[in-house]
Amino acid sequence: MKSLEIVQKFFKMFKVLSKIAMIFCIVISCIWVVGLICALFYTDITTLNKVFMVQNMNTSTLWVSCLCGMILSVTYGILSYYSYKYCEKEVNDGTPFTHEGATMIRQLAIKSIWMPIVSYIVCEIFITLYEIQYYDFEAWFSIGWILLLFLLAAIFDYGAELKEQSN
C-alpha cells in the first residue's frame, strides 16, 4: 500500500498545482479584460507605437491581441478547473482506480483536444477580420499530454476492473 500513498501524495500535489493554474488563468483573464477595455477607448496611435516599439501598431491590433489573450486564458482556466475537479475526486476516493475517475480523465483529454482548437479558430477569425498582418499566433496543443490522459484513463479503468474482480 506504500505505492498508493505515493500516488495519493502526487494527486494532492497536482490538485494544488491545478488550482494555482486555474487562479493564475483567472487573474490573467482579468488583466486581458482591463487591457481590452483600455484598447477600446485609447486612440493615441503615436503613443502606442512608442510603447510597443513597432511602426504599424493600431488600436485594432491591440484590441484583437487583448481579446485573443483573454479567450486563450479563459480556455486554459477551464481546463485547469476540470483537472482540479478530477484530482479532488481522486483524493476523496482514495484511489485512482475507479470507472468514474477514468471517465473524468477521458473527458478531460477530449476537452483538451477541442477547446483549444475552438479558441484558436475564434482568435484566427478576429485576426482575419481585422487584417492583422504581423500578429504572431500559433495554434498548438500538447498531443503528448492528451495521449497520456487517454493512457491513464485506460490504466485506471483496468485497475477498477481488477479491483471489482478481486472483491
Side-chain angles (χ1 to χ4, degrees):
M1 281 310 213
K2 187 171 177 129
S3 301
L4 183 59
E5 292 172 9
I6 293 170
V7 169
Q8 286 299 101
K9 286 181 184 178
F10 272 109
F11 275 108
K12 286 177 185 176
M13 180 182 67
F14 291 146
K15 178 182 168 186
V16 171
L17 290 175
S18 60
K19 189 170 190 173
I20 290 170
M22 182 178 58
I23 292 169
F24 181 74
C25 287
I26 290 169
V27 169
I28 294 299
S29 297
C30 292
I31 292 170
W32 282 119
V33 167
V34 169
L36 183 63
I37 292 168
C38 291
L40 290 174
F41 295 109
Y42 196 76
T43 58
D44 186 11
I45 294 175
T46 56
T47 305
L48 282 176
N49 288 329
K50 289 178 187 175
V51 168
F52 291 102
M53 295 182 278
V54 294
Q55 294 298 321
N56 298 325
M57 174 63 82
N58 58 32
T59 53
S60 64
T61 302
L62 184 60
W63 183 81
V64 170
S65 298
C66 290
L67 182 65
C68 290
M70 183 191 67
I71 290 169
L72 295 175
S73 59
V74 166
T75 299
Y76 289 110
I78 292 169
L79 289 173
S80 297
Y81 170 76
Y82 285 119
S83 178
Y84 171 78
K85 291 308 281 181
Y86 169 73
C87 290
E88 184 177 55
K89 180 185 178 350
E90 194 281 334
V91 168
N92 290 340
D93 288 347
T95 181
F97 301 111
T98 62
H99 291 294
E100 188 178 348
T103 301
M104 287 178 75
I105 289 182
R106 201 173 294 106
Q107 289 171 349
L108 177 61
I110 292 168
K111 288 172 186 167
S112 296
I113 294 170
W114 71 264
M115 286 179 70
I117 290 173
V118 169
S119 64
Y120 286 119
I121 288 171
V122 169
C123 289
E124 286 294 334
I125 288 170
F126 281 107
I127 290 167
T128 303
L129 285 176
Y130 285 91
E131 298 175 352
I132 296 175
Q133 303 296 324
Y134 58 90
Y135 188 83
D136 186 23
F137 184 76
E138 295 179 12
W140 67 274
F141 55 89
S142 177
I143 302 279
W145 170 250
I146 293 166
L147 292 175
L148 177 67
L149 288 175
F150 279 122
L151 177 66
L152 284 175
I155 290 171
F156 293 163
D157 254 342
Y158 178 66
E161 288 173 12
L162 289 178
K163 193 169 131 183
E164 287 172 355
Q165 288 175 359
S166 69
N167 291 338

